[in-house]
Amino acid sequence: MGLLEIVAKGIATYPTRRGGCYRRGVSTAEATTNGICVEVDAVYSADHSSPAQGNWFFLYTVRIRNLGDETVQLLSRHRVITDATGKVEEARGPGVVGEQPVLQPGEAFEYTCGCPLTTPWGDMRGRYEMRMASGTRFDAEIPAFALRQPTALH
């Protein structure tokens, strides 16, 4: 199991969205920590999956929005991926998709990655280490979100 970087990324402004749900094959989740809102949309990618060979692939898009009044920088990430058997894998490293974005108040950074599993469902959660312009560091929650093939029984 591992993560695959997809080239979609950038800084922009996005409207506010509330709550988490599973709709039309998309799992969504949202959490806000110290003014940093992390929104995730995850979807099963049939084009990249081979269930007969025990391989399921999921794409997830993350939006990190600065709702606060101070500039912040994303320094590092820690993700915890759990498959349907309970097997846990952790991914840690500097930044996301090769960047350590700096977000002014009102800005957002969005990127899309992929995650292969050897089971038709699982979940992911974690945290981003953030640093405010004042030097204060804190962990922004990556909310738990489902990775699941729409036809899989759970």
Side-chain angles (χ1 to χ4, degrees):
M1 181 173 16
L3 300 175
L4 171 71
E5 179 180 321
I6 305 295
V7 293
K9 57 186 174 182
I11 293 180
T13 310
Y14 294 90
T16 301
R17 181 178 56 135
R18 297 280 179 231
C21 64
Y22 185 81
R23 67 186 189 315
R24 288 176 281 164
V26 178
S27 170
T28 67
E30 178 181 318
T32 302
T33 310
N34 290 347
I36 301 303
C37 179
V38 178
E39 302 171 323
V40 184
D41 294 325
V43 65
Y44 171 69
S45 177
D47 291 344
H48 297 96
S49 298
S50 303
Q53 284 77 43
N55 298 306
W56 289 265
F57 196 81
F58 303 88
L59 296 171
Y60 61 95
T61 298
V62 179
R63 278 172 303 288
I64 305 164
R65 297 187 299 128
N66 183 355
L67 304 177
D69 55 6
E70 189 173 341
T71 299
V72 298
Q73 182 177 21
L74 187 153
L75 300 175
S76 65
R77 70 189 181 284
H78 175 213
R79 294 188 188 109
V80 179
I81 306 130
T82 307
D83 72 12
T85 67
K87 177 183 170 195
V88 175
E89 183 172 319
E90 297 189 39
R92 297 175 191 260
V96 291
V97 292
E99 297 188 33
Q100 292 180 309
V102 174
L103 300 175
Q104 304 292 327
E107 285 187 333
F109 183 81
E110 180 174 298
Y111 66 95
T112 299
C113 281
C115 180
L117 292 179
T118 57
T119 61
W121 71 83
D123 64 56
M124 188 183 302
R125 61 184 161 73
R127 65 181 183 270
Y128 296 117
E129 180 186 11
M130 310 294 290
R131 181 177 56 219
M132 301 172 113
S134 65
T136 302
R137 292 179 184 227
F138 66 94
D139 288 337
E141 177 187 2
I142 301 170
F145 58 96
L147 301 168
R148 67 175 148 174
Q149 178 186 14
T151 58
L153 297 176
H154 178 30

